[in-house]
């Protein structure tokens, strides 16, 4: 856990857009003995979430958010080689995300921590079409497809993507996990859209994906009632 003051100083440096000051905070954390994976989970991740909350609340500008997130992405790139490396699990995961800077950062953190945990990772980032994603999944054959970050209006599209995956049936053992964005704010939405797993943070995502549990039948999830509930939950998020 990050010591008192580190989170505040890191956030302050990010919002000022001072890359050097932000790097010094992270270097100080490492020198104090905080391992790189804890820096990811206890400093960069919660501050990323806070920056997103501040933007949604109108307390910072899009420019401030963009600066803060870009600095954190740069620091994350530098930290990747400091992560511990566990033996291969013999499992594969595909991580994709929304196209914004915050979503790219969240997806990158997810990908890095799965890689550290021994997974074979393909981080696709954001901006792909469903056809592109389905084509890659078909070729790569992952054990988990992780979709990170979404705004409320994207939830029906993700539901349709999951329905397509179920209906095609080409990946019967692949689990679909969602995290971030509207899924962290709208309780139960992940189940309503038919995902198999949900994790609020990157650390919890690695833990949840590593649990050996049989998949539950999902055929009953492709229903008109579920689609109606999804629209209602998305509407409540938009109006919140």
């Amino acid at each position: 856990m990050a010591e008192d003051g580190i989170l505040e100083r890191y956030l302050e440096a990010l919002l000022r857009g001072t890359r050097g000051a932000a790097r010094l905070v992270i270097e100080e954390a490492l020198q104090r003995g905080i391992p790189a994976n804890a820096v990811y989970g206890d400093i960069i991740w919660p501050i990323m979430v806070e920056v997103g909350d501040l933007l949604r609340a109108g307390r910072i500008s899009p420019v401030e958010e963009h600066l803060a997130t870009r600095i954190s992405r740069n620091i994350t790139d530098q930290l990747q080689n400091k992560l511990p490396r566990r033996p291969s699990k013999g499992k594969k995961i595909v991580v994709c995300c929304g196209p914004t800077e915050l979503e790219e950062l969240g997806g990158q953190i997810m990908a890095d921590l799965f890689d550290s945990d021994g997974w074979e990772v393909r981080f696709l980032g954001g901006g792909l079409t469903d056809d592109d994603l389905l084509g890659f999944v078909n070729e790569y054959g992952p054990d988990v497809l992780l979709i990170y970050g979404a705004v409320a209006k994207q939830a029906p599209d993700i539901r349709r993507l999951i329905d397509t995956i179920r209906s095609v049936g080409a990946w019967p053992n692949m689990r679909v996990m969602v995290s971030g964005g509207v899924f962290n704010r709208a309780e139960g939405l992940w189940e309503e859209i038919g995902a198999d797993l949900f994790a609020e943070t990157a650390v919890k995502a690695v833990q949840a994906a590593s649990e050996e549990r049989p998949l539950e039948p999902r055929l009953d999830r492709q229903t008109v009632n579920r689609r109606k509930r999804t629209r209602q939950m998305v509407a409540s998020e938009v109006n919140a």
Side-chain angles (χ1 to χ4, degrees):
M1 181 65 67
E3 296 183 17
D4 292 341
I6 287 183
L7 292 175
E8 291 81 0
R9 287 190 289 120
Y10 186 61
L11 177 61
E12 181 182 0
L14 293 181
L15 295 182
R16 290 202 315 266
T18 51
R19 300 171 62 183
R23 283 197 298 267
L24 285 175
V25 173
I26 298 302
E27 289 172 5
E28 177 186 328
L30 293 170
Q31 290 170 1
R32 291 185 182 183
I34 299 177
N37 52 356
V39 171
Y40 269 72
D42 295 337
I43 301 176
I44 297 176
W45 184 276
I47 292 302
M48 175 193 73
V49 173
E50 185 167 355
V51 167
D53 290 343
L54 290 172
L55 179 66
R56 280 169 46 82
R59 296 175 59 188
I60 62 173
S61 70
V63 171
E64 289 174 308
E65 177 272 322
H66 197 83
L67 276 171
T69 306
R70 175 55 61 180
I71 292 170
S72 279
R73 288 196 68 184
N74 181 262
I75 289 173
T76 301
D77 287 338
Q78 296 171 3
L79 278 176
Q80 184 181 18
N81 289 333
K82 297 182 183 296
L83 289 170
R85 300 294 169 187
R86 294 184 178 176
S88 173
K89 290 183 177 291
K91 293 184 178 182
K92 300 190 289 186
I93 183 169
V94 169
V95 180
C96 61
C97 63
T100 71
E101 286 285 330
L102 272 173
E103 291 165 332
E104 287 271 356
L105 174 59
Q108 180 177 340
I109 292 174
M110 292 272 191
D112 286 354
L113 291 186
F114 270 99
D115 183 60
S116 172
D117 195 53
W119 289 69
E120 184 180 320
V121 181
R122 296 293 183 271
F123 177 42
L124 303 183
L128 291 175
T129 67
D130 286 357
D131 287 343
D132 288 335
L133 182 58
L134 291 171
F136 183 81
V137 166
N138 185 51
E139 294 178 4
Y140 186 58
D143 297 279
V144 176
L145 170 63
L146 196 164
I147 303 170
Y148 176 79
V151 297
K153 65 181 181 180
Q154 293 172 323
D157 294 331
I158 295 174
R159 175 191 54 74
R160 283 190 289 271
L161 172 64
I162 294 175
D163 281 352
T164 300
I165 289 172
R166 306 292 180 219
S167 63
V168 170
W171 317 279
N173 297 318
M174 184 183 77
R175 292 179 291 175
V176 178
M177 176 186 288
V178 295
S179 178
V182 65
F183 301 113
N184 283 25
R185 299 189 295 270
E187 183 178 357
L189 180 59
W190 70 275
E191 292 181 296
E192 293 297 338
I193 67 168
D196 301 297
L197 299 168
F198 164 76
E200 186 177 0
T201 69
V203 172
K204 291 180 180 179
V206 174
Q207 295 170 347
S210 298
E211 293 179 359
E212 298 290 346
R213 292 185 299 179
L215 290 176
E216 298 179 2
R218 297 293 181 180
L219 294 177
D220 62 322
R221 296 204 167 204
Q222 297 184 44
T223 65
V224 173
N225 287 337
R226 177 168 66 80
R227 295 180 183 186
K228 181 178 180 181
R229 289 195 298 271
T230 300
R231 288 196 297 269
Q232 291 171 340
M233 296 183 75
V234 170
S236 65
E237 162 69 15
V238 170
N239 296 326

